[in-house]
Amino acid sequence: MRNLKRSFWAILAVLTVLWLIAEPSVFQSATFFALRGAMMQLSGILAIGCMSVAMILALRPRWPESWLGGLDKMYRLHKWLGITALVVAIVHWLWAKGPRWAVGWGLLERPARGARPPIENPIAAAFADLRGSAESLGEWAFYAAVVLIALALIQYFPYRLFYKTHRLLALAYLVLVFHAVVLIRFSYWTSPLGWVMAVLLGCGTWASVVVLLRRVGAGRQVKGRITLLEYYPGVRALETEIEVPHGWPGHKAGQFAFATSDASEGAHPYTIASSWRAENPGITFITKELGDHTSRLREKLRAGQEVKVEGPYGCFTFDDDCPHQIWIGGGIGITPFVARMKHMAMQKGAPDWPDAQTVDLFHTTADVDEEALGKLAADARSADVRLLVLIDARDGHLTGERVRHAAPQWREASIWFCGPAGFGEALKRDFAAHDFPVNWRFHQELFAMR
């Protein structure tokens, strides 16, 4: 999370500093309308800059994953940048419209305009001729972007509709690129700000085309076939085994992948609940009935059906040198730990983790399925992991104090949490209050892709 926040603020800071270098006289603006012009430039640059980076991150690129801590963190940055672009674009729109309204209401007086000198640069002259079109098209693209971003932030908006409407943001972005190129002050293009904006707009345009052509993640997609489906009614979860005979690069326990079984629904992310064996290439997903799509999977999927799998993604891979690890899986958040235990059982003869590293696994759940719990206990025994299961109605809720009591070596441990975000943040605050170095040793999956 530290690198996530640093990256977010760095993007805003760099664009602002570069703008100040390109516009050193901004603090000497003699009139309100001169200040208005400067603020419209700054707000427009910040809005299209944030949207450009968000478009690039929408491609799920590999290179920022390790720095940001995984694709889940990358999507969090994508979301923050989208919200920031929305807010700053509204400010930009108010700077454009507000003074005009004030002039119409008699609250401001429009300054008299003298004769404009002829524009000698042919490119600048062409941009000047396009100003009217850029302003009009940009305004309508702004309205469309506001609606589409707002829909993306409404969690109750069905995913299958979000998947379709969110792609339209790429089209709105392309119109806003035209708006920005024409209306950014022409002198900026020969400054470092212009060079950076040219790169951002160019990369963002390329990303938009990839999105519109539905080619996101195409190089990491393979075709698979469902070989087994098993439903656990007590926890309303479906276990799906998929054979991926060609192209899958392998994965680490704790990573996730996008699976597409219905093109109209699009790709959905699921944590991989199996270890990787090259001699028996397969992936297991465990999905809980939490929404419209997952609730229909049991009826829609069948053995032998072809699916598309994309990945692997994520950095929740249990890599550290701590002598002890504490795993906490809330509900369906148990899946990465199932994969890790299967990997540990398979690698017991040649472990790829530190010698003598021990593990406590806390699984807290509101639902109970004896068969699923039996499999979990068997996996724990095979991996030499100490398992503690807490059923909410019987044992109460898991707290930081209960974890510390059950795992007295917690100060030397790393904590790996997967489950409801609010639960994870509460545990993180609790351990931080007890001087646990949460920035370094508390690992949390932010499994929310919108």
Side-chain angles (χ1 to χ4, degrees):
M1 286 293 288
R2 289 181 302 109
N3 288 344
L4 184 65
K5 293 176 181 178
R6 287 174 180 172
S7 300
F8 173 73
W9 290 112
I11 291 166
L12 297 179
V14 167
L15 290 175
T16 302
V17 169
L18 290 176
W19 177 79
L20 288 171
I21 294 172
E23 195 69 71
S25 61
V26 62
F27 298 112
Q28 301 172 11
S29 300
T31 66
F32 171 78
F33 279 91
L35 177 64
R36 169 187 178 246
M39 291 300 100
M40 285 182 64
Q41 289 292 317
L42 175 60
S43 57
I45 285 167
L46 289 176
I48 196 66
C50 288
M51 200 169 183
S52 297
V53 179
M55 286 303 309
I56 295 167
L57 294 179
L59 297 186
R60 304 197 271 268
R62 296 179 186 223
W63 51 269
E65 261 207 281
S66 58
W67 166 253
L68 293 174
L71 182 64
D72 57 317
K73 312 298 189 304
M74 197 190 306
Y75 264 86
R76 180 64 60 91
L77 179 58
H78 170 88
K79 181 178 180 179
W80 289 356
L81 289 169
I83 294 172
T84 302
L86 173 64
V87 172
V88 179
I90 291 172
V91 172
H92 177 76
W93 179 78
L94 289 173
W95 273 112
K97 294 291 188 180
R100 295 180 185 176
W101 297 335
V103 169
W105 298 333
L107 301 176
L108 281 177
E109 183 177 348
R110 186 185 300 275
R113 290 182 177 178
R116 294 184 178 181
I119 301 174
E120 297 182 359
N121 187 302
I123 300 177
F127 281 3
D129 292 339
L130 292 171
R131 287 186 67 89
S133 298
E135 288 177 354
S136 178
L137 290 173
E139 182 176 353
W140 285 106
F142 160 73
Y143 296 145
V146 168
V147 172
L148 292 170
I149 294 175
L151 288 176
L153 296 174
I154 299 173
Q155 294 299 317
Y156 292 106
F157 188 62
Y159 185 91
R160 65 182 182 278
L161 298 179
F162 158 79
Y163 165 73
K164 296 172 182 176
T165 59
H166 201 57
R167 193 167 56 243
L168 296 176
L169 268 172
L171 193 59
Y173 171 80
L174 291 176
V175 177
L176 291 171
V177 167
F178 168 69
H179 172 85
V181 169
V182 172
L183 296 179
I184 284 177
R185 193 161 289 166
F186 192 75
S187 61
Y188 291 175
W189 292 113
T190 56
S191 71
L193 173 64
W195 307 336
V196 170
M197 291 304 299
V199 172
L200 287 178
L201 295 176
C203 292
T205 297
W206 170 71
S208 297
V209 173
V210 173
V211 169
L212 290 171
L213 294 176
R214 304 186 184 185
R215 298 294 295 169
V216 175
R220 304 179 79 172
Q221 294 174 357
V222 300
K223 290 184 178 180
R225 183 177 61 85
I226 297 175
T227 57
L228 180 67
L229 293 165
E230 185 168 359
Y231 183 68
Y232 301 99
V235 290
R236 295 177 292 112
L238 178 68
E239 182 176 347
T240 308
E241 292 185 7
I242 301 172
E243 181 186 25
V244 283
H246 305 293
W248 186 253
H251 59 267
K252 289 186 175 183
Q255 291 189 298
F256 64 92
F258 288 86
T260 305
S261 56
D262 182 349
S264 65
E265 275 283 348
H268 286 254
Y270 305 110
T271 299
I272 301 170
S274 58
S275 58
W276 173 249
R277 296 183 181 184
E279 67 277 10
N280 184 23
I283 297 174
T284 299
F285 295 122
I286 301 176
T287 53
K288 188 176 178 67
E289 295 176 350
L290 295 173
D292 290 345
H293 176 69
T294 51
S295 296
R296 296 194 305 269
L297 283 179
R298 185 161 57 109
E299 302 170 359
K300 298 177 69 173
L301 299 183
R302 65 186 185 279
Q305 179 178 344
E306 283 195 353
V307 296
K308 186 163 43 178
V309 183
E310 176 195 332
Y313 294 104
C315 297
F316 193 83
T317 52
F318 306 95
D319 298 322
D320 66 37
D321 296 324
C322 293
H324 188 68
Q325 290 187 344
I326 296 172
W327 302 347
I328 303 172
I332 197 60
I334 193 63
T335 48
F337 307 113
V338 171
R340 179 62 173 178
M341 289 189 295
K342 291 183 182 298
H343 172 78
M344 292 173 68
M346 184 178 66
Q347 293 291 122
K348 189 176 289 187
D352 53 3
W353 57 91
D355 291 339
Q357 186 180 70
T358 56
V359 178
D360 282 328
L361 169 58
F362 295 84
H363 176 44
T364 174
T365 177
D367 302 316
V368 180
D369 187 289
E370 294 300 337
E371 183 179 359
L373 289 178
K375 286 188 173 183
L376 181 64
D379 286 335
R381 286 192 299 270
S382 298
D384 294 328
V385 168
R386 189 166 75 102
L387 173 65
L388 295 91
V389 176
L390 290 89
I391 299 169
D392 291 351
R394 183 190 69 194
D395 306 307
H397 295 292
L398 182 66
T399 64
E401 185 60 37
R402 296 182 75 168
V403 172
R404 289 187 290 273
H405 178 75
Q409 62 274 62
W410 62 273
R411 289 196 179 275
E412 292 75 39
S414 59
I415 299 176
W416 298 78
F417 174 88
C418 187
F423 179 28
E425 289 300 321
L427 285 174
K428 188 174 182 178
R429 288 193 300 269
D430 184 284
F431 274 90
H434 286 79
D435 298 322
F436 184 83
V438 293
N439 287 335
W440 304 102
R441 288 197 268 135
F442 191 101
H443 308 274
Q444 181 177 359
E445 190 94 293
L446 302 178
F447 212 66
M449 299 298 166
R450 55 176 291 193

